Amino acid sequence: MTDSTSIAPPAVTANLSSAEGLDLSQFEQVRTEVQAWQTSHGTQVRFVEARQLPMVDLIVRFNAGTSVDGEHSGLAALTMYMLDEGTERLNAEQFAEQTERLGAILSTQIRLEHASLSLRCLSSEVVLAQAVALFTEMLARPAFDAQQLVKVKQQLRAFQSSRYNAAPTRAQSELFSRLYAGHPYAAPLGSTEQGIQALTAQDLRDFHQRAYSANNLQVSIVGDLSRAQAEALVEQLAEALPQGWAAAELPPVSPTSAASAHVPTPAANNTLLLAVPMSGRPSQADYPALVLAADVLGSGFDSRLMQELRQRRGLTYHISCRPSPLKAGGVLAIGWDCAAQYREASRELVAGMLEALVNEGPTNAELELSRRQLSGQLVRSVATNSGLVELLSRGSHQGLPADHLVTYQAQLSAVSARSARQALQEHLDLSRMVTVSLGSDQPQQPLPPLPHSDR
């Protein structure tokens, strides 16, 4: 059982100059050529030929996330975590030995909307062929061995318990249960102890035969191979998988009322999440405006929230704002920690700053700084095979066109203060704001006065 989580790169500091006097805030244009096609099995493919390194990076993303568990909590997660625990031909130890012998790196990731598995290996003909064959065997013919299932259940219960006891993930769970009440998104942790215990090996086999089918799959490849080699690789994979099933579209999220809740825990500080429903989707023309506005509000040291809550008031060490464009209904969420006695005052401050941004929009100077930061993040991501293949996989899942990486910087440049304000007002519903806090419950106090220099 393995898991990986991608972390967004830090924001670029604007207006830096090198020793040679070059303006490092001006980034090169991304010109990555992405090839896209659909196989006869219905598999969606994105591919970039990159000959600089003798490596191949591959991500397969199935529409098999925790939101398709249905009545069987933990089904999607347990199925995915069992894939690398042995195949019909190899037991778990033999599978691990062959993976290590090839020098291949396998990782897995389960989210609300998808299950992703990745392979990284050398591009030499022999190694690539054997690594892809082993990867295909893992995906298409897992053993779901009963003894391994007992072990993985224990690991998954321990993993979920640790996540639930961690303030950020517990806060997200509490937030989503309120924001998405009655919807499959309402349980972002994806598994309960009772659900995990009740699942059988046959349950996993049945789910695998549906969810891990070729036309429920998106494949992204970056590396030292040709288009013909990439096509053959995907055909080999798709041919071996179950056929003919695709996940149904999730129902739209039903509107919920505004709410604020505090969950007492032993922690001295409070962890807070404030969120509002977001209707914007990455495939919509004004979505870059939402991304820029969120960056202005709470991404990086120069963002409004960091400047106000950390620099001026010393209320928190870090605060961030991030849009999550889920298919059935997205969310814009702001997260921070603070002293327990300032929970309500800081919540009111953050809510007011979000409302001000929606009503007034960002300034042109703020947009320019955010454009530079986002452009810099993009350039750094496409510069590595692992970063690029993750961008391809994410873009495919979000329904973005194949040339999205090439056009994204121009889309950011086209955003004005007015269009950003319009996008915020159209896609964010402040009347349904939900706030969740965790930590000790202490008498609330007003915010301390600002230092004299900041008044």
Side-chain angles (χ1 to χ4, degrees):
M1 171 179 165
T2 56
D3 189 62
S4 64
T5 304
S6 59
I7 301 175
V12 175
T13 302
N15 299 325
L16 294 178
S17 295
S18 70
E20 291 78 18
L22 297 176
D23 185 358
L24 299 182
S25 67
Q26 299 301 316
F27 296 98
E28 62 183 272
Q29 292 297 305
V30 173
R31 293 184 173 85
T32 304
E33 181 183 353
V34 179
Q35 302 179 57
W37 66 92
Q38 179 175 304
T39 72
S40 58
H41 304 88
T43 301
Q44 302 289 332
V45 187
R46 298 203 175 182
F47 167 62
V48 172
E49 184 175 342
R51 298 290 190 175
Q52 297 89 339
L53 295 173
M55 301 292 296
V56 172
D57 284 271
L58 165 70
I59 293 179
V60 296
R61 183 173 289 206
F62 294 90
N63 292 326
T66 59
S67 60
V68 298
D69 275 350
E71 298 178 355
H72 303 284
S73 174
L75 180 59
L78 197 54
T79 300
M80 189 203 66
Y81 286 130
M82 280 292 291
L83 293 179
D84 61 358
E85 297 294 335
T87 69
E88 294 175 357
R89 181 177 65 92
L90 302 169
N91 62 33
E93 183 178 354
Q94 292 169 332
F95 181 84
E97 287 175 351
Q98 290 210 17
T99 303
E100 185 176 358
R101 178 180 58 83
L102 292 169
I105 300 173
L106 303 178
S107 62
T108 58
Q109 183 186 82
I110 187 79
R111 293 290 183 266
L112 271 172
E113 294 186 328
H114 63 84
S116 298
L117 302 97
S118 67
L119 167 68
R120 168 168 253 216
C121 67
L122 291 172
S123 60
S124 70
E125 185 175 347
V126 173
V127 172
L128 179 60
Q130 293 182 12
V132 170
L134 190 64
F135 190 64
T136 300
E137 187 175 350
M138 176 189 75
L139 293 174
R141 294 180 292 278
F144 296 121
D145 177 78
Q147 290 185 335
Q148 293 300 120
L149 179 58
V150 172
K151 181 194 77 172
V152 174
K153 279 186 175 184
Q154 293 174 342
Q155 293 175 338
L156 183 55
R157 282 196 294 266
F159 176 60
Q160 293 295 76
S161 176
S162 68
R163 293 182 69 201
Y164 189 76
N165 290 326
T169 49
R170 171 76 182 278
Q172 183 189 26
S173 178
E174 298 287 348
L175 176 76
F176 275 44
S177 69
R178 293 164 173 81
L179 197 63
Y180 294 113
H183 192 273
Y185 290 163
L189 294 183
S191 307
T192 64
E193 184 168 348
Q194 296 82 358
I196 294 170
Q197 186 60 36
L199 290 167
T200 67
Q202 190 58 49
D203 292 329
L204 307 191
R205 293 188 187 98
D206 293 343
F207 181 77
H208 174 266
Q209 284 298 307
R210 299 192 307 273
Y212 285 78
S213 63
N215 61 322
N216 198 43
L217 168 65
Q218 296 163 333
V219 179
S220 300
I221 309 171
V222 174
D224 180 26
L225 71 170
S226 66
R227 164 71 180 259
Q229 288 175 297
E231 289 180 350
L233 185 160
V234 177
E235 283 295 329
Q236 174 186 340
L237 175 62
E239 184 68 33
L241 291 171
Q243 308 291 322
W245 186 90
E249 291 289 329
L250 291 172
V253 174
S254 299
T256 54
S257 301
S260 181
H262 178 69
V263 181
T265 70
N269 286 339
N270 277 197
T271 296
L272 293 95
L273 274 179
L274 181 151
V276 294
M278 181 185 73
S279 62
R281 297 284 300 274
S283 57
Q284 293 177 306
D286 60 356
Y287 188 76
L290 284 176
V291 174
L292 276 171
D295 193 90
V296 165
L297 183 62
S299 180
F301 200 74
D302 292 316
S303 67
R304 289 188 181 186
L305 290 170
M306 279 288 281
Q307 286 292 307
E308 183 66 23
L309 273 77
R310 176 175 170 173
Q311 288 296 95
R312 297 186 70 211
R313 298 181 179 272
L315 289 173
T316 188
Y317 180 77
H318 180 71
I319 182 168
S320 63
C321 175
R322 186 169 68 92
S324 295
L326 298 170
K327 291 183 177 180
V331 60
L332 182 83
I334 303 170
W336 73 100
D337 292 343
C338 72
Q341 66 268 30
Y342 299 131
R343 178 182 69 239
E344 288 303 317
S346 69
R347 180 189 65 79
E348 292 175 5
L349 175 62
V350 170
M353 293 181 67
L354 173 60
E355 184 176 357
L357 180 69
V358 172
N359 291 336
E360 302 166 10
T363 67
N364 288 322
E366 289 174 323
L367 286 175
E368 181 58 28
L369 176 58
S370 289
R371 267 192 285 267
R372 293 173 177 176
Q373 292 180 160
L374 293 171
S375 184
Q377 291 173 13
L378 177 63
V379 169
R380 289 197 303 278
S381 293
V382 301
T384 65
N385 286 8
S386 58
L388 178 54
V389 75
E390 176 61 35
L391 288 176
L392 297 186
S393 183
R394 189 186 312 156
S396 180
H397 175 74
Q398 294 176 344
L400 296 171
D403 66 351
H404 168 69
L405 298 179
V406 175
T407 63
Y408 189 58
Q409 288 163 307
Q411 293 175 37
L412 293 177
S413 296
V415 176
S416 65
R418 179 181 179 183
S419 64
R421 184 177 68 253
Q422 289 174 336
L424 288 166
Q425 293 176 354
E426 179 175 350
H427 295 298
L428 298 186
D429 188 351
L430 297 182
S431 69
R432 292 167 54 201
M433 183 182 297
V434 175
T435 308
V436 168
S437 57
L438 279 74
S440 60
D441 196 2
Q442 297 186 17
Q444 294 300 290
Q445 300 178 14
L447 294 176
L450 286 169
H452 183 75
S453 59
D454 285 329
R455 293 178 186 174

